[in-house]
Amino acid sequence: MSGSRSLDLNADVGEGAGSDAELVPLVSSVNIACGAHAGDDATMRETVALAMRHGVALGAHPGFADREHFGRRELPLAPGEAATLVLGQVAALKGVVQTAGGRLSHVKLHGALYNMAARDLRLASEVVRALAANYPHLKLLALAGSILVREGRARGLEVVGEAFADRSYRVDGSLTPRSEPGALIADPEASVRQVLDIATRRGVRASDGSWVAIDAGTVCLHGDGAHAVDLARRIRAALAESGISARA
């Protein structure tokens, strides 16, 4: 973390998990569902108000309009269509934020769209082009080391590499697909150790035991996890014990 002794802790919220009221005060940034994979105008308003009460950075969390699969199924959209989908959802949340007197700070893609843009050059390029043309002031949160990080920075966006507290990694630095065993880290202590490794050693232990360098400025805690609030508390406590603050 370049000696700053701080780490952004972000959570995906506004997705109907029911734990947002407890979770939001424990993180420093939130990524709010924009009505496609989850959420609607009412949940966006409620979540924005909640985050603003706690001084948490506000981000848009656009994904595929596939509620049946929670936006986690890859869809064969053309890159330009995907970019248009992203812009529409960012605009929807930005309108809610502005009405509430807040400021939108960042964008983070959701689910299958996030993973596809991390590895697909044409998709990443189109999404980044659209964001740079329409929202050049917004930060982009993207999988650390991915194509999307590279493309975003090449277009002049401020990109923050993201790592995950509750997902396991493969040796190439990609996330273990959810369809594979061990993709989700069930042991909270293992998740805490992974976050501390990211914060202090700039890497993670991959599922095969090898060490993988991860240059991340933000760590995600999935808000729909069964024990998200407890895990957030454990992570905050462990970071504090290590002299690291959670800061957007």
Side-chain angles (χ1 to χ4, degrees):
M1 301 301 110
S2 303
S4 65
R5 309 304 292 173
S6 70
L7 180 71
D8 180 41
L9 185 61
N10 79 74
D12 305 334
V13 296
E15 298 177 324
S19 58
D20 287 358
E22 292 180 275
L23 182 61
V24 168
L26 298 171
V27 298
S28 45
S29 298
V30 291
N31 320 302
I32 302 171
C34 304
H37 74 279
D40 54 30
D41 287 344
T43 61
M44 283 191 281
R45 288 193 298 270
E46 292 167 5
T47 311
V48 165
L50 174 64
M52 288 179 63
R53 283 199 301 273
H54 293 284
V56 175
L58 302 168
H61 197 36
F64 286 132
D66 182 18
R67 288 175 181 259
E68 181 182 356
H69 298 91
F70 198 61
R72 287 177 174 156
R73 177 181 61 167
E74 295 194 0
L75 299 178
L77 281 188
E81 293 176 312
T84 299
L85 186 70
V86 169
L87 290 182
Q89 292 177 60
V90 174
L93 185 67
K94 184 180 180 183
V96 172
V97 171
Q98 288 181 328
T99 298
R103 183 180 69 86
L104 194 63
S105 72
H106 64 273
V107 177
K108 174 190 165 181
L109 304 183
H110 167 78
L113 183 57
Y114 178 99
N115 292 323
M116 291 169 68
R119 66 174 191 266
D120 185 317
L121 177 59
R122 288 185 61 234
L123 177 58
S125 180
E126 279 298 307
V127 169
V128 162
R129 181 196 60 76
L131 290 174
N134 294 274
Y135 301 104
H137 60 290
L138 296 182
K139 298 182 184 71
L140 175 62
L141 274 55
L143 182 66
S146 70
I147 287 173
L148 188 57
V149 169
R150 186 187 72 199
E151 289 297 299
R153 289 174 178 163
R155 283 276 185 175
L157 293 177
E158 182 178 350
V159 183
V160 182
E162 181 179 42
F164 289 80
D166 47 14
R167 293 290 303 277
S168 66
Y169 282 80
R170 297 192 292 192
V171 68
D172 64 354
S174 64
L175 299 174
T176 304
R178 285 179 176 265
S179 59
E180 295 184 10
L184 298 176
I185 300 174
D187 177 7
E189 290 305 314
S191 287
V192 170
R193 286 195 300 272
Q194 180 155 295
V195 173
L196 290 177
D197 279 344
I198 292 164
T200 62
R201 302 175 63 197
R202 302 183 72 151
V204 297
R205 190 67 63 185
S207 54
D208 70 348
S210 61
W211 183 256
V212 180
I214 301 285
D215 185 11
T218 186
V219 171
C220 176
L221 171 68
H222 282 100
D224 63 330
H227 307 290
V229 174
D230 176 64
L231 181 55
R233 291 194 179 109
R234 288 172 182 252
I235 289 171
R236 286 294 295 259
L239 289 174
E241 287 176 9
S242 298
I244 301 167
S245 63
R247 186 168 65 223

